[in-house]
Structure formats: structure tokens, C-alpha cells
Amino acid sequence: MSSRIDILLCHIFILVICAILLGAFSIQFGMGEFPCPLCLLQRMCMILSAIGPAYVIARGRHRRHTGMTVLSTGLGLAILAAVGGMAVATRQDLLHIEPGTPGYGSPIFGLHLYTWALLVFVCIIIASGLMLVFGAEYPSSSQATTSRKRWYTTLTLWLFGAIILANAIVAFMESGFNLFLPDNPEHYELLRQLGIGTGSGGSG
């Protein structure tokens, strides 16, 4: 696999994570369901997993590291974040695994969002592992070059940055000026504290 293909796959990696998080936003705002603290942690782990490929894109353009340092560092970060996300998603699945226990939020295609999140984290680990196995070696520092920044790189990184900012805003809206989120949020605490309005629901 060439280094150019590695960079392209990292773009796809980030865009897939962005699409998943946008889907979660559509459920949150379209269906009026609020993410619980564990749901927000899973979103954060997905963001952290995508930071690894973003690092590969940013540093891989300059190719100043010998061998697979850039790729292994970035995908190593993705794997560690996915392992953390798996732990959180598994914890939430276990909270609702007992027969008759209602899940949190509405199921999508028969599964709740935290179950889908668990599958996403497993896929991240598998995809990252395959990229590490078949990844290309980058030129040594004596052969270092700087490739031209392409439009899709700018678009991908700006979209990813907007997703990060949106999640930070949502977390702040839910917690308000409190240190902790409620287990089952039913409104945006910041809006309640400001006297703007409330809502109800549950999401992942």
C-alpha cells in the first residue's frame, strides 16, 4: 500500500466518524432525544479516534519521519481511543442487558445507539490494525518533501473541527454551569438556567 493510499484512507476514516456523529445529532435534534453522560463519552472517544488519522494527514504531508512512525502513532491513538470507547459502550450495554430492562433512547434498526457505538469501535480497531499491517513506509528525513494541500483535506479537517466544536457546545448546553450531567437528561440545563426553555427525551 502506498503512503498516498494511507493518507486517503485516513480522510475516509475521519469522514465516516463525522457522518456517524452527524447521525447522532440528527437523532438528538430531530427526534428530541438527549445524550446521557455515557453517550457523550462515546462521542468523545470517536472524536479522539479520528484525531489519530488527522495527525497522520497533518504530519504525513511533510513526511519528516523515518519508516512508519507517523502512521503507527496516529493509528495507535485511534486504537487506544477505540478501546476506551468500547469500555464505555460495553458498560452502557450491560446496564440494559437484563431482560425486561428498557434501553436508553430509541432503537435504530433494532439496536440502541450505544450498541451501534460498540460495533463502530470494534470496526475502528480492525481497520486501524489492517492499515498498520499493510501500511507503507514513509521516506526518510533526507528524502522529506512537502505535498500540496488539497481541497478535500481542508474540507475534511474543517468539518472535523466543526464536529468537535458542536459536541463541546452540546455538552455545555446539557451540563450548564454544573460539574456533572444527570444520568437521564430531560432538558438542556444551560437553557433552563438562563430561563430559555426545556425539552424531554433520551438518546445515545
Side-chain angles (χ1 to χ4, degrees), residues 92-93 95-105 107 112 114 184:
Q92 192 166 9
D93 270 303
L95 289 174
H96 306 288
I97 198 172
E98 183 179 351
T101 302
Y104 185 78
H112 290 279
Y114 42 85
N184 298 292

Side-chain angles (χ1 to χ4, degrees), residues 21 24 28 34-46 88-89 92 96 104-105 112-114 117 121 167 174 181 183 185 202-204:
L21 293 173
Q28 177 180 345
F34 296 89
C36 68
L38 291 177
C39 298
L40 289 176
L41 281 175
Q42 290 163 57
R43 293 186 187 185
M44 292 177 187
C45 286
M46 288 186 187
V88 177
Q92 192 166 9
H96 306 288
Y104 185 78
H112 290 279
L113 292 186
Y114 42 85
F121 290 124
N167 276 277
E174 282 207 357
L181 284 168
D183 292 337
S203 180

Side-chain angles (χ1 to χ4, degrees), residues 71-88:
L71 192 65
S72 60
T73 300
L75 295 181
L77 290 172
I79 290 173
L80 289 175
V83 170
M86 282 183 62
V88 177

